[in-house]
């Protein structure tokens, strides 16, 4: 990626990458790696270290926002299904994902599970797989199961690339992704502590770029940004500090986030939480697949699509708010998203009980009109500012 | 032993008696403050719960009953008033409404949960169980049943991946047994488990016999009218002698109907239902087809919500826990998940075996598990097997989603198209074997 020498120039490049439904970074990688194979994976989390160790490029498939009009997918999937499922399929049916050799869907929700069947039927050239990530995460048997499930996926990848995944290569990939996660944590620290230097939309764009470009390049880019951000001009404003919750799967339009950040500082969020799912470094010694499995179960974030009695979601949200020293929350859910909408009720009850102001909203990746939402957010923020005055 | 002749009406009368008795037991359990397990129809684990004498509540059934009784809307609106979206599962909302109304159901009282068991066969199960976890602070046990992974629908039971799955499921079953011991203060009795599993085998055989009898022309039962009775009893009485006797008696009655030449109506078209029916308009749903002589001879619902009783379902009671794990997994692959997520071959085979004229794909707004990919499956069956399909939409329990005139219009047109096929004889020439289509892929 030809990044410039300023944060703004880097951001401009990233924005072009993430908004282009033709996946230009993937095509650049394929030009540089003739015969290279690409693995696509659907939300929320996938252990990208495994394809990376095989020399594949892992790519996050997370819909097309408003960049693509859904036509073909609508004839394949019922209308009452969320947008990300349909727009991801549209990308595939319109040939934009012809570079994929393998596509993996964790069955995070009932629509995603069905989508795998639709992909299998309609895309015979892609090896479509479901990866059953455990929902019984506290079972003493879950780690061994998940290690072997990762091994199964590794075999699929080995068959695709025609080369074995060596332990040493996997450990090197884990180290590379550890570094990426460390840099993303740092990015979030900067956003949390100095949101006037790095806005939520900017941070989001930088994170999202990691899903469509080689992670080595992403690490270079993040290091550059983190070095340059403190030099940016920026002045702290009197804004409410909020946490945005509800962006773990379908992504809200960047314009929606911009509307919120015009009125508030978004100091933490669960946007693309899958790229930040592992919260600690994964050990690089020992059995790498077992280490990845253990990290998924015990050293990970939370989302409505994982059941973990150790991490009750409403309490986790309250913790996120506390740790970000936020004053309020925006609890969003994508339209038609069963897990998100169900979780929203629990979140609202917990916030009410804790006396934390919150704004509830529903969004869709294809939204293009935000005036009504702008008014709601501004009213919410102003009422809090007056309340705190 | 003298042959007993089961009277016509056994299914209706005995089904009603058993259902009434179950409600009386639920209400009595609530009155006595007896702990109850909440379970779901796909992977209920009744086998283990019955060892500990834990009464079973099946909220999918209580939810659909609110609709059959014409009372679902008030429960849905109570849940929506509490904050649940119009766009989520109606079963969940009917149950939340029930819980918020002090568990008062039109049929009786539902006790509080002491334990909730959800499998990952439907992700909404897990979210639903989390609601009870929040409401009652009861333990939630999620049983992972890894199933269809893409590609071939038949697992290689001698393969490494299946062995891994089996180890995991078996380990989880042992975890659940430990949890039940702690909850009830009772020791696990493996011989009692063997007895219950043997009873489940007996019920499975009866259930299969019942299903198979509908291959007969005319079909002796409607898969959506009497099918609902079979669903209820197979889930609420799984592993009990009463449940097994019911299906044996039901099979006898159906044989008697066949002997007498009785069909459910003047059968002209044999239909297969994919997904579920609309319980808020159950009678009307059936009528719209029956007016034309259309009878539902089978449904995917009778498979995935029917206890996983595939044709080869049988526990090996000499190694109960291992066999329970293995059979649950096979049920998950073939019975629970395949008819929903990768259904085309299963449907095509059923069309042939049950001599079906057409398939009704009922998309249910409430249920993405059963409905998301239906338009695609319908198109696949049309193009690869020349099987006619009708795609209509309403809901499980929400009467607001029922549009009578619109549905009638589409159903009328569909039946007319079946009549046209019959007139030209293309219905016989068209349907190909799944293996032919697979070879062509």
């Amino acid at each position: 990626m030809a990044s410039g020498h300023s944060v703004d120039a880097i951001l401009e490049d990233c924005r072009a990458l993430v908004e282009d439904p033709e996946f230009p970074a993937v095509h650049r990688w394929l030009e540089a790696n003739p015969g290279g194979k690409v693995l696509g994976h659907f939300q929320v989390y996938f252990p990208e270290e495994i394809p990376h160790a095989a020399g594949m490029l892992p790519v996050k498939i997370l819909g097309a926002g408003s960049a693509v009009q859904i036509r073909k997918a609508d004839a394949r999937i019922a209308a009452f299904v969320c947008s990300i499922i349909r727009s991801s399929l549209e990308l595939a049916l319109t040939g934009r994902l012809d570079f994929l050799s393998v596509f993996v869907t964790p069955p995070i929700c009932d629509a995603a599970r069905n989508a795998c069947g639709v992909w299998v039927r309609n895309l015979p050239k892609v090896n479509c797989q479901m990866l059953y990530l455990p929902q019984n995460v506290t079972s003493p048997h879950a780690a061994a199961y998940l290690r072997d499930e990762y091994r199964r996926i590794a075999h699929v990848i080995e068959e695709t690339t025609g080369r074995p995944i060596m332990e040493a290569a996997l450990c090197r990939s884990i180290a590379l992704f550890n570094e990426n996660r460390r840099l993303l944590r740092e990015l979030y620290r900067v956003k949390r502590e100095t949101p006037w230097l790095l806005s939520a939309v900017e941070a989001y764009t930088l994170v999202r770029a990691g899903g469509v470009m080689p992670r080595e390049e992403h690490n270079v880019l993040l290091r550059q940004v983190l070095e340059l951000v403190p030099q940016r001009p920026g002045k702290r404003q009197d804004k409410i500090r909020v946490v945005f919750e509800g962006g773990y799967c379908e992504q809200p339009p960047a314009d929606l986030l911009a509307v919120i950040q015009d009125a508030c500082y978004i100091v933490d969020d669960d946007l693309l939480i899958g790229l930040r799912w592992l919260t600690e470094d994964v050990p690089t010694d020992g059995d790498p697949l077992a280490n990845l499995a253990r990290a998924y179960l015990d050293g990970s974030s939370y989302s409505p699509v994982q059941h973990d009695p150790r991490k009750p979601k409403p309490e986790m949200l309250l913790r996120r708010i506390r740790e970000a020293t936020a004053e309020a929350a925006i609890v969003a859910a994508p339209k038609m998203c069963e897990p998100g909408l169900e979780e929203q009720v629990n979140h609202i009850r917990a916030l009410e009980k804790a006396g934390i102001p919150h704004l509830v909203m529903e969004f869709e990746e294809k939204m293009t009109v935000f005036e009504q939402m702008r008014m709601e957010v501004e009213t919410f923020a102003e009422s809090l500012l007056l309340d705190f005055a | 032993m003298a042959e007993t002749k089961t009277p016509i009406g056994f299914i209706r009368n005995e089904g009603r008696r058993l259902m009434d008795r179950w409600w009386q037991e639920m209400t009595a359990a609530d009155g006595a403050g007896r702990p109850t397990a909440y379970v779901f129809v796909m992977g209920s684990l009744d086998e283990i719960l019955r060892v500990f004498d834990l009464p079973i509540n099946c909220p999918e059934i209580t939810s659909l009953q609110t609709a059959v009784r014409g009372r679902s809307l008030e429960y849905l609106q109570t849940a929506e008033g509490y904050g649940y979206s119009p766009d989520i599962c109606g079963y969940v909302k009917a149950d939340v409404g029930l819980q918020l109304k002090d568990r008062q159901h039109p049929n009786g009282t539902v006790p509080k949960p002491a334990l909730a068991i959800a499998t990952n066969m439907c992700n909404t199960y897990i979210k639903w169980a989390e609601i009870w976890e929040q409401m009652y602070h009861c333990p939630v046990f999620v049983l992972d049943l890894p199933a269809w992974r893409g590609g071939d629908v038949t697992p290689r039971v001698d393969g490494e991946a299946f062995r891994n799955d089996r180890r995991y499921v078996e380990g989880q079953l042992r975890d659940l047994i430990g949890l039940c011991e702690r909850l009830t203060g009772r020791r696990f009795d493996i011989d009692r488990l063997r007895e219950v599993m043997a009873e489940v085998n007996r019920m499975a055989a009866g259930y299969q016999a019942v299903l198979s009898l509908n291959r007969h022309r005319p079909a002796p039962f409607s898969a959506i009218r009497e099918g609902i009775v079979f669903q209820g009893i197979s889930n609420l009485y799984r592993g009990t002698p009463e449940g097994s006797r019911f299906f044996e008696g039901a099979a006898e009655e159906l044989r008697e109907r066949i002997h007498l030449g009785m069909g459910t109506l003047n059968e002209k078209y044999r239909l297969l239902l994919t997904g579920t029916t609309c319980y808020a308009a159950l009678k009307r749903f059936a009528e719209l087809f029956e007016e034309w002589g259309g009878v539902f001879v089978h449904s995917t619902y009778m498979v995935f919500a029917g206890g996983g009783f595939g044709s080869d379902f049988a526990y090996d009671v000499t190694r109960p826990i291992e066999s329970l794990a293995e059979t649950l997994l096979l049920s998950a692959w073939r019975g629970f998940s395949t008819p929903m997520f990768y259904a085309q071959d299963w449907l095509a085979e059923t069309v042939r075996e049950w001599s079906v004229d057409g398939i009704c794909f009922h998309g249910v707004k409430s249920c993405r598990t059963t409905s998301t990919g239906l338009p695609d499956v319908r198109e696949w069956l049309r193009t690869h097997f020349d099987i006619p399909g009708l795609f209509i939409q309403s809901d499980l329990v929400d009467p607001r989603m029922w549009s009578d005139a619109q549905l009638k219009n589409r159903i009328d047109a569909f039946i007319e198209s079946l009549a046209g096929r019959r007139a030209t004889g293309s219905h016989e020439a068209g349907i190909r074997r799944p293996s032919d289509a697979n070879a062509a892929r």
Side-chain angles (χ1 to χ4, degrees):
Chain A
M1 177 176 189
S3 54
H5 294 291
S6 71
V7 177
D8 289 344
I10 294 170
L11 280 165
E12 202 173 312
D13 286 348
C14 285
R15 202 170 297 123
L17 274 190
V18 302
E19 288 177 357
D20 190 336
E22 306 298 334
F23 293 84
V26 175
H27 288 290
R28 275 204 292 273
W29 183 85
L30 285 168
E31 279 166 26
N33 297 272
K37 306 281 186 189
V38 182
L39 177 146
H41 56 91
F42 192 65
Q43 299 276 44
V44 172
Y45 169 78
F46 178 77
E48 294 179 300
E49 288 89 339
I50 303 173
H52 182 271
M56 284 185 98
L57 178 67
V59 175
K60 209 165 174 59
I61 306 298
L62 41 76
S66 55
V68 168
Q69 197 168 355
I70 300 173
R71 289 198 178 100
K72 295 187 174 185
D74 272 354
R76 306 266 161 214
I77 286 187
F80 39 76
V81 171
C82 67
S83 184
I84 185 172
I85 296 281
R86 288 183 289 132
S87 69
S88 295
L89 179 66
E90 186 72 19
L91 287 174
L93 294 175
T94 51
R96 292 178 169 95
L97 300 179
D98 279 355
F99 51 72
L100 289 182
S101 296
V102 180
F103 177 66
V104 183
T105 317
I108 51 165
C109 67
D110 304 319
R113 237 178 138 179
N114 264 289
C116 185
V118 178
W119 277 64
V120 171
R121 278 189 293 271
N122 289 280
L123 299 153
K125 289 182 185 164
V126 184
N127 186 346
C128 300
Q129 292 282 320
M130 271 215 257
L131 168 67
Y132 273 89
L133 295 168
Q135 291 284 11
N136 189 355
V137 295
T138 52
S139 166
H141 312 281
Y145 158 76
L146 184 55
R147 179 198 60 213
D148 289 344
E149 182 69 352
Y150 283 172
R151 185 172 295 147
R152 185 182 68 79
I153 288 292
H155 286 327
V156 171
I157 289 167
E158 286 171 337
E159 281 170 16
T160 305
T161 59
R163 66 188 233 200
I165 298 175
M166 309 304 286
E167 268 200 11
L170 199 42
C171 290
R172 280 195 298 277
S173 297
I174 289 173
L176 177 84
F177 280 78
N178 277 345
E179 174 66 358
N180 189 251
R181 288 184 282 263
R182 186 190 69 74
L183 291 165
L184 290 176
R185 287 198 296 271
E186 184 62 11
L187 195 76
Y188 263 68
R189 185 192 64 75
V190 170
K191 184 179 80 159
R192 192 166 55 241
E193 293 178 1
T194 52
W196 51 92
L197 292 182
L198 186 71
S199 75
V201 174
E202 290 170 336
Y204 171 69
T205 307
L206 290 165
V207 174
R208 185 161 175 167
V212 291
M213 67 195 295
R215 212 50 62 96
E216 292 86 346
E217 289 179 26
H218 194 231
N219 280 353
V220 171
L221 182 149
L222 290 176
R223 274 190 220 103
Q224 274 184 318
V225 168
L226 288 166
E227 198 182 307
L228 293 170
V229 161
Q231 299 159 28
R232 290 181 104 184
K235 204 172 165 189
R236 184 176 184 166
Q237 290 178 289
D238 185 18
K239 285 185 178 178
I240 299 294
R241 292 169 63 88
V242 302
V243 160
F244 179 91
E245 186 88 355
Y248 63 96
C249 181
E250 182 167 327
Q251 298 301 291
D255 288 345
L256 170 61
L257 297 175
V259 163
I260 298 170
Q261 77 179 18
D262 283 349
C264 315
Y265 284 133
I266 304 175
V267 287
D268 204 355
D269 56 60
D270 64 345
L271 295 159
L272 296 171
I273 197 69
L275 287 171
R276 302 177 283 126
W277 185 255
L278 307 186
T279 52
E280 296 156 14
D281 280 357
V282 181
T284 51
D285 55 348
D287 177 351
L289 291 179
N291 291 341
L292 283 169
R294 184 53 69 190
Y296 174 83
L297 296 167
D298 297 335
S300 52
S301 188
Y302 69 97
S303 88
V305 294
Q306 191 206 43
H307 175 75
D308 188 340
R310 299 168 302 181
K311 297 186 286 190
K313 268 81 77 176
E315 285 173 33
M316 296 304 288
L317 171 59
L318 296 180
R319 196 166 102 182
R320 182 173 273 158
I321 292 168
R322 223 171 26 243
E323 288 178 354
T325 58
E327 296 146 307
I330 293 183
V331 189
K335 194 165 175 50
M336 304 289 183
C337 171
E338 181 102 34
L341 290 165
E342 279 159 358
E343 200 63 64
Q344 203 177 38
V345 181
N346 285 336
H347 284 329
I348 293 165
R349 298 285 153 192
L351 291 166
E352 279 171 354
K353 202 169 163 193
I356 295 172
H358 52 278
L359 180 66
V360 181
M361 63 167 68
E362 211 175 76
F363 68 83
E364 202 172 8
E365 62 172 20
K366 302 183 78 59
M367 284 169 77
T368 51
V369 178
F370 303 96
E371 285 320 299
Q372 171 75 20
M373 207 154 271
R374 179 181 294 281
M375 200 166 69
E376 285 174 21
V377 174
E378 282 175 358
T379 307
F380 174 66
E382 279 166 20
S383 70
L384 292 180
L385 280 171
L386 289 172
D387 198 34
F388 292 141
Chain B
M1 197 170 137
E3 194 178 323
T4 55
K5 199 175 224 181
T6 303
I8 302 296
F10 169 85
I11 294 170
R12 187 175 63 246
N13 296 329
E14 182 64 1
R16 185 180 299 148
R17 189 188 73 80
L18 288 175
M19 193 55 77
D20 287 348
R21 207 190 84 184
W22 179 74
W23 269 107
Q24 285 157 10
E25 284 171 359
M26 282 284 101
T27 305
D30 177 64
R34 200 172 158 206
T36 306
Y38 281 23
V39 300
F40 295 103
V41 301
M42 290 188 283
S44 62
L45 295 179
D46 289 1
E47 291 82 349
I48 290 174
L49 298 173
R50 291 209 186 276
V51 171
F52 293 95
D53 285 331
L54 273 163
I56 289 156
N57 175 31
C58 221
E60 285 152 299
I61 293 176
T62 58
S63 287
L64 80 83
Q65 284 175 330
T66 64
V68 173
R69 295 288 296 260
R71 298 272 304 275
S72 52
L73 189 56
E74 66 191 73
Y75 291 92
L76 297 175
Q77 286 175 331
T78 300
E80 286 170 9
Y82 190 75
Y84 286 95
S85 166
D87 292 334
I88 67 157
C89 172
Y91 275 0
V92 171
K93 282 188 293 184
D95 177 66
V96 168
L98 172 66
Q99 304 297 339
L100 293 174
K101 287 173 178 285
D102 290 329
R103 294 167 283 105
Q104 296 305 308
H105 187 279
N107 293 12
T109 306
V110 174
K112 289 180 183 176
L115 165 69
I117 296 178
T119 69
N120 62 342
M121 286 299 94
C122 165
N123 287 279
T124 301
Y125 284 171
I126 301 170
K127 302 307 294 176
W128 195 346
E130 285 179 349
I131 294 172
W132 302 323
E133 193 176 38
Q134 292 281 327
M135 280 184 170
Y136 298 112
H137 308 289
C138 65
V140 167
F141 185 88
V142 175
L143 176 77
D144 274 325
L145 288 174
W148 178 71
R149 303 300 214 289
D152 196 346
V153 295
T154 308
R156 274 191 50 211
V157 292
D158 59 341
E160 186 189 333
F162 191 80
R163 278 201 301 274
N164 176 39
D165 291 353
R166 188 167 46 198
R167 266 196 306 275
Y168 182 36
V169 173
E170 193 182 321
Q172 293 178 87
L173 294 178
R174 293 186 193 281
D175 296 343
L176 176 64
I177 288 168
L179 175 60
C180 289
E181 284 186 325
R182 289 194 295 282
L183 271 177
T184 61
R186 291 171 61 161
R187 290 289 301 274
F188 173 64
D189 178 350
I190 198 156
D191 290 327
R192 174 76 185 120
L193 178 64
R194 285 193 176 95
E195 285 169 23
V196 176
M197 288 171 73
E199 207 59 67
V200 176
N201 280 346
R202 193 179 146 201
M203 179 187 265
Y207 192 86
Q208 276 306 324
V210 164
L211 289 190
S212 289
L213 286 165
N214 242 22
R215 296 178 195 218
H216 190 270
R217 277 176 188 268
F221 74 92
S222 158
I224 60 173
R225 286 181 185 267
E226 279 145 321
I228 191 175
V229 181
F230 299 145
Q231 296 293 310
I233 305 303
S234 68
N235 281 286
L236 300 178
Y237 285 87
R238 184 184 178 101
T240 66
E242 299 96 310
S244 302
R245 276 200 297 271
F246 172 79
F247 282 102
E248 287 162 358
E252 279 178 26
E253 179 182 344
L254 296 175
R255 284 189 200 101
E256 182 65 11
R257 288 189 201 180
I258 289 170
H259 175 70
L260 295 172
M262 286 173 66
T264 56
L265 68 154
N266 183 18
E267 178 182 302
K268 285 188 184 155
Y269 303 103
R270 295 169 65 82
L271 305 169
L272 173 57
L273 178 70
T274 300
T276 64
T277 181
C278 175
Y279 293 105
L282 180 66
K283 184 165 172 280
R284 183 64 184 145
F285 188 98
E287 272 174 6
L288 286 172
F289 294 91
E290 288 169 357
E291 282 166 1
W292 292 89
V295 58
F296 285 98
V297 298
H298 202 2
S299 74
T300 54
Y301 198 40
M302 292 204 68
V303 176
F304 64 76
F309 294 155
S311 54
D312 51 357
F313 181 101
Y315 291 130
D316 176 356
V317 297
T318 63
R319 47 183 196 100
I321 295 175
E322 297 84 346
S323 178
L324 182 57
E326 193 174 300
T327 311
L328 271 167
L329 266 173
L330 290 172
S331 296
W333 274 81
R334 295 169 181 168
F336 300 150
S337 68
T338 304
M340 287 186 286
F341 306 124
Y342 200 58
Q344 67 277 4
D345 291 348
W346 184 90
L347 287 168
E349 206 66 62
T350 308
V351 162
R352 267 191 347 103
E353 290 180 9
W354 264 259
S355 307
V356 166
D357 295 296
I359 304 179
C360 172
F361 295 88
H362 182 221
V364 171
K365 187 191 173 197
S366 262
C367 183
R368 289 161 186 89
T369 303
T370 60
S371 308
T372 296
L374 290 188
D376 187 54
V377 180
R378 174 189 171 231
E379 185 60 12
W380 180 277
L381 288 167
R382 188 186 67 78
T383 53
H384 289 75
F385 301 102
D386 192 28
I387 296 173
L390 165 71
F391 182 67
I392 52 173
Q393 295 186 78
S394 69
D395 194 66
L396 287 169
V397 293
D398 192 339
R400 296 167 296 188
M401 296 296 296
W402 180 264
S403 170
D404 198 272
Q406 200 178 55
L407 289 171
K408 180 168 172 38
N409 226 356
R410 307 217 34 201
I411 292 165
D412 288 357
F414 175 63
I415 301 279
E416 280 169 17
S417 77
L418 294 185
R421 282 172 67 86
R422 184 162 292 177
T424 59
S426 60
H427 67 296
E428 283 170 358
I431 295 173
R432 298 187 290 270
R433 296 176 67 88
S435 51
D436 300 337
N438 284 336
R441 265 182 227 171

